[in-house]
Amino acid sequence: MKSKSLRTFVQVVVGVLLFAMMVLYASKVLERKDAYVKYEAFFREKNDFDVLFFGSSNMQLMVNPLQLWNECGITSYNFGNTSERLPVTYWTIKNALEYTSPKVVVIEISQYGQEEKYKDMYSVHLAWDRFPISLTKIKAVYDVLSPSDPRYELLFDMILYHDRWKELTPADFSKDYSKSMGYATSHEYTAFERPEYEFRIDEAAPKTEGVMYLEKTVEELQEKGIQVVFVHSPEVNSEEKQARINAASVTAEKYNIPLIDFTVMKDSVVDYATDLSDADHANIQGATKLTHYIGEYLMSNYDLKSHAGDASYNDWNTFYEDYRAENDGVPMTVKEEEEE
């Protein structure tokens, strides 16, 4: 009897384990691959990153970590994410710091003064799907999403993706991921004239809930001894939006943080006629100039050392050469107007 009972117990355990493995495999195949492709390189890096970049898509298209590696020998990751609001950025930073210890965190502040916690579920999924389940991720989901939101699909994405089998492609079975360290490339341009703004501050912007999260972000980073830099990408804004973003200077002064505003600085780093993809985003030409500027600024103002020549960073040289091979010589094209 004992032998039979033990055999039954073992069969049950093995059956449960096999079922769990099947569910896990199915979950990996069925989930959307956007987050995996964008962030897998972050999780595979064995060394600490020197700098992390956060913000919305403005950041994603503005800073090229592989160029920073080639020019400065520092490692960085671009967590810029479409439509990301500051509360999501706060929790993305907290999640990221469980895997690396950067010396500097750079935050793009074009979302300064926004009231909402998140823009849409897609942007939250893209920000957090690749992070494994942890106490920090659970806290993030329950803090940013309301009880009426589909919280569980962020913690167990099989709930969301279980019926994707109809749209599976060979890419869903691939383990390929982007080696661009989070940077997104655009070879399109839209010609603008650089606007001029009368400097004023939206007095209500610093009192919004999103700014409260930004201030918590800064306080927690400074407590850890991590330096913080604010940047604002070059944009073509309304006077009202620029006044809202100007208010970021209030937070910057409060915490003694530098604010680099590429939109209003005296000598523009980019050419508005050739270096913007659209009114909000830099293209590859603009990103090359902006990345160079930011790299020089970081190396001049923070204790960052070049890793060039260190064999443990050889993959970075390969990634940079692959990036060059893919993008050098690609012609710039006029961006077509989107249909309304």
Side-chain angles (χ1 to χ4, degrees):
M1 286 292 292
K2 290 183 178 179
S3 176
K4 184 176 181 181
S5 298
L6 179 60
R7 185 166 59 251
T8 302
F9 174 75
V10 171
Q11 289 174 341
V12 170
V13 170
V14 171
V16 170
L17 289 175
L18 288 174
F19 178 75
M21 291 172 64
M22 291 172 60
V23 170
L24 181 61
Y25 176 75
S27 176
K28 292 298 182 184
V29 170
L30 291 170
E31 69 183 2
R32 247 188 345 236
K33 301 304 182 293
D34 312 47
Y36 173 84
V37 170
K38 178 172 170 56
Y39 297 117
E40 183 64 15
F42 171 78
F43 291 95
R44 296 202 183 196
E45 175 59 40
K46 297 179 177 64
N47 299 296
D48 272 333
F49 289 92
D50 299 307
V51 184
L52 297 181
F53 297 92
F54 295 91
S56 66
S57 55
N58 296 55
M59 174 61 86
Q60 187 179 13
L61 278 86
M62 181 171 67
V63 176
N64 181 354
L66 293 178
Q67 180 185 337
L68 284 178
W69 165 256
N70 182 62
E71 294 181 356
C72 307
I74 60 174
T75 58
S76 60
Y77 211 91
N78 189 332
F79 278 85
N81 172 36
T82 179
S83 303
E84 183 163 293
R85 301 299 190 248
L86 292 172
V88 176
T89 297
Y90 167 78
W91 284 107
T92 302
I93 291 174
K94 288 181 73 69
N95 274 283
L97 293 185
E98 294 186 346
Y99 298 89
T100 191
S101 299
K103 293 183 177 179
V104 184
V105 163
V106 183
I107 302 173
E108 206 281 327
I109 47 83
S110 59
Q111 301 303 314
Y112 190 94
Q114 291 276 14
E115 286 282 2
E116 58 194 358
K117 281 191 170 183
Y118 71 95
K119 176 65 174 177
D120 52 46
M121 286 299 295
Y122 174 77
S123 66
V124 183
H125 273 287
L126 185 56
W128 295 346
D129 272 0
R130 181 55 187 86
F131 285 106
I133 288 288
S134 67
L135 181 59
T136 301
K137 183 173 180 177
I138 293 171
K139 287 180 178 178
V141 170
Y142 276 83
D143 178 57
V144 171
L145 274 67
S146 66
S148 61
D149 290 323
R151 289 167 167 169
Y152 289 109
E153 71 179 40
L154 281 162
L155 299 175
F156 309 102
D157 58 17
M158 185 70 166
I159 296 172
L160 175 65
Y161 302 132
H162 70 276
D163 60 353
R164 276 196 70 241
W165 61 270
K166 302 174 185 176
E167 54 190 80
L168 292 180
T169 69
D172 286 293
F173 299 89
S174 171
K175 293 186 178 180
D176 288 342
Y177 58 94
S178 173
K179 314 302 192 301
S180 62
M181 303 300 167
Y183 168 59
T185 306
S186 170
H187 291 275
E188 298 180 312
Y189 75 93
T190 304
F192 296 100
E193 290 186 10
R194 190 187 185 197
E196 295 184 3
Y197 304 95
E198 180 182 351
F199 184 82
R200 62 183 179 85
I201 288 177
D202 181 344
E203 300 292 342
K207 302 168 187 174
T208 56
E209 187 173 18
V211 173
M212 291 170 55
Y213 277 86
L214 180 62
E215 293 188 349
K216 283 202 302 181
T217 302
V218 173
E219 290 168 4
E220 292 179 18
L221 290 171
Q222 291 181 336
E223 286 176 5
K224 294 178 181 291
I226 299 172
Q227 302 293 324
V228 184
V229 179
F230 288 168
V231 298
H232 175 219
S233 64
E235 294 185 294
V236 180
N237 291 328
S238 65
E239 290 281 352
E240 291 72 21
K241 181 179 179 182
Q242 188 58 41
R244 170 169 61 79
I245 294 168
N246 288 342
S249 61
V250 175
T251 300
E253 291 172 9
K254 180 177 179 179
Y255 293 99
N256 194 27
I257 293 171
L259 168 57
I260 305 170
D261 191 336
F262 290 107
T263 295
V264 297
M265 63 171 44
K266 182 177 179 182
D267 297 317
S268 181
V269 172
V270 301
D271 184 341
Y272 275 65
T274 60
D275 296 342
L276 298 185
S277 171
D278 54 35
D280 304 310
H281 304 99
N283 58 32
I284 190 170
Q285 293 182 163
T288 299
K289 298 174 183 178
L290 295 163
T291 299
H292 179 75
Y293 184 100
I294 290 171
E296 288 196 332
Y297 180 87
L298 292 173
M299 296 301 287
S300 298
N301 290 280
Y302 301 99
D303 184 26
L304 299 172
K305 302 291 191 297
S306 172
H307 305 294
D310 186 332
S312 67
Y313 292 86
N314 281 345
D315 284 350
W316 284 78
N317 296 319
T318 302
F319 297 157
Y320 175 72
E321 292 303 325
D322 289 346
Y323 163 79
R324 288 281 306 272
E326 184 177 348
N327 290 282
D328 282 3
V330 176
M332 301 296 295
T333 59
V334 178
K335 184 169 184 176
E336 296 181 4
E337 294 185 8
E338 296 181 358
E339 295 184 5
E340 297 184 1

